[in-house]
């Protein structure tokens, strides 16, 4: 006998999975799937707006999954900025903690992402300015909460590249890349997915796309990450929008670093001395010296103000890179700039996310977060149909 549906809810099969959702959410259509969940578009019959609903795949199958699910929920609840994905609603059809197995996250529906948009069209200078301005506004907000988009996943895996005895970062890390930047038809952008690591997206060429946007210090695990790892990614994405092709298209980790250093030059002695790993220091010393390129020669037809933004972002030394807040004040963005919208976040409390707790406790915390959530009424600007 099948389980009864909670009053006010209905059941629908989506891609061989049973979804139980409140009756207000209609016209469920699968729009995406990953290793950790499925996303459907739906229409909220109360407001007439289109929303995205995400169902996590077996969120309580292990402590790691439960911790990740709890963390994504808390991060989404915390985010209240027009350029960062936030939460309209969260619900479960399970009526009590002992029956609690699944929950669903309701977010703005955006329509497409920057990766898809760049494949469809060559972006105008004005669009590039506006999109990068929004990325930086979103990052300023995320960074002010004490969150790094890049290293927000819970676990890091490393494998040793035997040929050079260097440790490369690998595995469940979430990157800022074109596919993580959602865009609607008004060219409004939201940063997505800093809670869930997903499988690395592999191009038909077999290349791991995420690597192309990854800061050199992350590829080499050669020092503590700072928030400027995300700035490097923005620089890579901006360069790709300007020249309609990825700027550093490495076929593997070492090739990626080689491609980067063709542009940035090899590390200076001063920078090499900051490296924490002896292996990394040895590797840097073994490199044939390459001079830094003048970016204006790499982008000869590009607006010099855009090139000066790239010059400040694509620097090998993370401490020398511009911050999101500093970049927003650069002349390239003056046309769109509204400083009062460049808001900061309330600090995000990481302590409970990083605790080691049994599965039942993660489940209880998540259930409590769902029960205490106050749904947001989306305004017309918040959605894209």
């Amino acid at each position: 006998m099948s389980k009864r549906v909670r009053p006010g809810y209905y059941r629908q099969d989506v891609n061989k999975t049973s979804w139980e959702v409140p009756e207000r959410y209609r016209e469920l259509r699968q729009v995406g799937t990953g290793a950790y969940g499925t996303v459907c578009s739906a229409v909220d019959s109360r407001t007439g707006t289109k929303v995205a609903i995400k169902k996590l795949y077996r969120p309580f199958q292990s402590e790691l999954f439960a911790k990740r699910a709890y963390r994504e929920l808390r991060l989404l609840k915390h985010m209240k900025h027009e350029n960062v994905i936030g939460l309209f609603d969260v619900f479960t059809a399970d009526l009590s903690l002992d029956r609690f197995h699944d929950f669903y996250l309701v977010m703005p529906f955006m329509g497409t992402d920057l990766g898809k948009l760049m494949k469809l069209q060559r972006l105008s200078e004005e669009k590039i300015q506006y999109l990068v301005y929004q990325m930086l506004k979103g990052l300023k907000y995320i960074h002010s909460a004490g969150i790094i988009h890049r290293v927000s996943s819970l676990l890091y895996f490393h494998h040793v590249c035997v040929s050079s005895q260097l440790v490369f970062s690998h595995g469940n890390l979430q990157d800022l890349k074109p596919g993580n930047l959602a865009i609607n038809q008004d060219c409004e952008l939201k940063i997505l997915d800093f809670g869930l690591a997903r499988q690395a997206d592999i191009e038909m060429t077999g290349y791991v796309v995420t690597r192309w946007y990854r800061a050199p210090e992350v590829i080499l695990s050669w020092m503590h990450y700072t928030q400027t790892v995300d700035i490097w990614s923005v620089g890579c994405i901006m360069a790709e929008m300007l020249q309609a092709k990825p700027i550093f298209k490495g076929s593997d980790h070492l090739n990626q670093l080689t491609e980067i250093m063709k542009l940035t030059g090899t590390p200076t002695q001063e920078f090499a001395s900051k490296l924490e790993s002896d292996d990394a220091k040895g590797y840097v010393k073994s490199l044939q010296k390459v001079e830094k390129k003048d970016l204006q020669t790499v982008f000869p037809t590009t607006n010099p103000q855009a090139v000066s933004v790239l010059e400040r972002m694509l620097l090998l030394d993370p401490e020398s890179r511009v911050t999101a807040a500093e970049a927003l004040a650069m002349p390239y963005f003056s046309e769109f700039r509204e400083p009062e919208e460049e808001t900061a976040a309330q600090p995000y409390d990481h302590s409970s996310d990083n605790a080691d707790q049994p599965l039942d406790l993660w489940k209880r915390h998540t259930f409590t977060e769902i029960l205490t959530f106050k749904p947001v009424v989306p305004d017309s600007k918040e959605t894209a149909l």
Side-chain angles (χ1 to χ4, degrees):
M1 196 176 95
S2 67
K3 183 179 88 151
R4 281 176 57 212
V5 181
R6 179 176 178 171
Y9 282 60
Y10 71 99
R11 184 179 295 143
Q12 183 176 324
D13 279 350
V14 176
N15 193 20
K16 298 178 184 160
T17 310
S18 182
W19 282 48
E20 290 184 40
V21 302
E23 284 166 0
R24 68 183 283 189
Y25 298 117
R26 291 284 168 190
E27 299 176 40
L28 289 183
R29 287 197 183 95
Q30 184 179 315
V31 291
T33 184
Y36 296 101
T38 301
V39 180
C40 281
S41 65
V43 174
D44 181 350
S45 59
R46 283 193 203 165
T47 61
T49 51
K50 200 166 183 179
V51 296
I53 305 179
K54 184 179 203 169
K55 181 183 186 184
L56 300 185
Y57 171 68
R58 292 173 61 197
F60 306 114
Q61 65 177 298
S62 68
E63 270 176 41
L64 173 63
F65 271 61
K67 189 173 184 173
R68 187 186 281 131
Y70 172 73
R71 190 166 194 277
E72 181 173 24
L73 174 56
R74 282 200 63 236
L75 277 164
L76 283 167
K77 277 180 80 167
H78 191 82
M79 294 298 153
K80 292 176 175 64
H81 189 277
E82 62 183 356
N83 299 121
V84 182
I85 204 74
L87 207 53
F88 285 160
D89 195 5
V90 56
F91 61 81
T92 178
D94 305 318
L95 286 161
S96 59
L97 181 60
D98 57 337
R99 293 181 188 175
F100 180 41
H101 295 296
D102 284 308
F103 68 97
Y104 302 76
L105 303 159
V106 183
M107 294 170 277
F109 177 80
M110 297 297 286
T112 192
D113 63 59
L114 184 58
K116 289 180 185 142
L117 190 67
M118 284 196 288
K119 283 189 172 81
L120 288 172
Q121 57 175 265
R122 181 87 191 239
L123 299 173
S124 68
E125 163 116 37
E126 192 180 37
K127 264 192 181 158
I128 294 169
Q129 274 174 304
Y130 186 44
L131 289 168
V132 179
Y133 175 65
Q134 292 179 88
M135 280 177 225
L136 290 167
K137 249 190 333 168
L139 279 181
K140 178 188 171 182
Y141 178 86
I142 290 168
H143 290 168
S144 69
I147 296 160
I148 305 176
H149 186 284
R150 175 66 185 71
V151 284
S152 59
S153 181
L154 293 158
L155 271 192
Y156 307 109
F157 296 97
H158 294 87
H159 72 270
V160 175
C161 173
V162 179
S163 61
S164 59
Q165 292 301 300
L166 287 171
V167 181
F168 287 119
S169 93
H170 177 67
N172 274 358
L173 291 154
Q174 195 56 29
D175 295 83
L176 194 61
K177 57 190 175 193
N180 278 342
L181 298 164
I183 295 173
N184 69 17
Q185 62 187 20
D186 296 326
C187 210
E188 292 167 337
L189 174 146
K190 288 184 193 287
I191 298 171
L192 297 177
D193 242 8
F194 34 84
L196 274 194
R198 289 185 304 197
Q199 291 163 317
D201 40 3
I202 295 176
E203 282 245 311
M204 287 168 79
T205 54
Y207 289 176
V208 179
V209 175
T210 49
R211 189 191 302 117
W212 301 344
Y213 308 97
R214 200 167 275 176
E217 67 270 23
V218 178
I219 297 169
L220 259 180
S221 295
W222 60 21
M223 63 209 313
H224 287 300
Y225 307 146
T226 68
Q227 294 175 333
T228 62
V229 294
D230 293 329
I231 296 298
W232 176 274
S233 304
V234 174
C236 294
I237 294 164
M238 181 177 168
E240 182 170 341
M241 289 194 280
L242 288 165
Q243 58 179 17
K245 63 175 197 274
I247 186 168
F248 305 121
K249 197 173 176 178
S251 54
D252 57 46
H253 290 95
L254 275 179
N255 181 243
Q256 183 72 24
L257 285 166
T258 306
E259 289 299 305
I260 287 170
M261 287 179 198
K262 279 181 194 170
L263 196 82
T264 63
T266 37
T268 61
Q269 280 302 112
E270 184 197 359
F271 177 48
S273 68
K274 296 180 192 175
L275 301 180
E276 290 161 9
S277 143
D278 289 337
D279 286 335
K281 279 182 184 164
Y283 169 68
V284 165
K285 276 189 184 144
S286 74
L287 293 168
Q288 245 184 323
K289 186 137 178 67
V290 179
E291 289 301 321
K292 183 182 184 305
K293 274 195 185 147
D294 175 4
L295 283 191
Q296 197 65 66
T297 62
V298 181
F299 297 88
T301 58
T302 300
N303 175 344
Q305 289 185 347
V307 177
S308 54
V309 173
L310 291 177
E311 287 276 13
R312 299 287 313 277
M313 290 181 173
L314 296 176
L315 291 168
L316 213 50
D317 185 348
E319 289 173 13
S320 305
R321 279 177 221 145
V322 70
T323 64
E326 288 163 353
L328 286 165
M330 292 182 77
Y332 185 61
F333 304 110
S334 56
E335 187 181 330
F336 293 106
R337 199 160 182 222
E338 293 180 42
E340 67 282 358
E341 285 185 11
E342 296 165 15
T343 53
Q346 294 296 313
Y348 176 77
D349 177 10
H350 292 266
S351 57
S352 56
D353 294 5
N354 297 327
D356 281 320
Q357 301 188 74
L359 182 61
D360 284 355
L361 213 49
W362 287 121
K363 210 173 179 179
R364 180 182 292 275
H365 290 327
T366 305
F367 200 61
T368 305
E369 290 286 342
I370 292 168
L371 294 179
T372 57
F373 182 75
K374 294 179 177 66
V376 174
V377 179
D379 61 30
S380 56
K381 196 179 174 209
E382 190 63 71
T383 67
L385 300 180

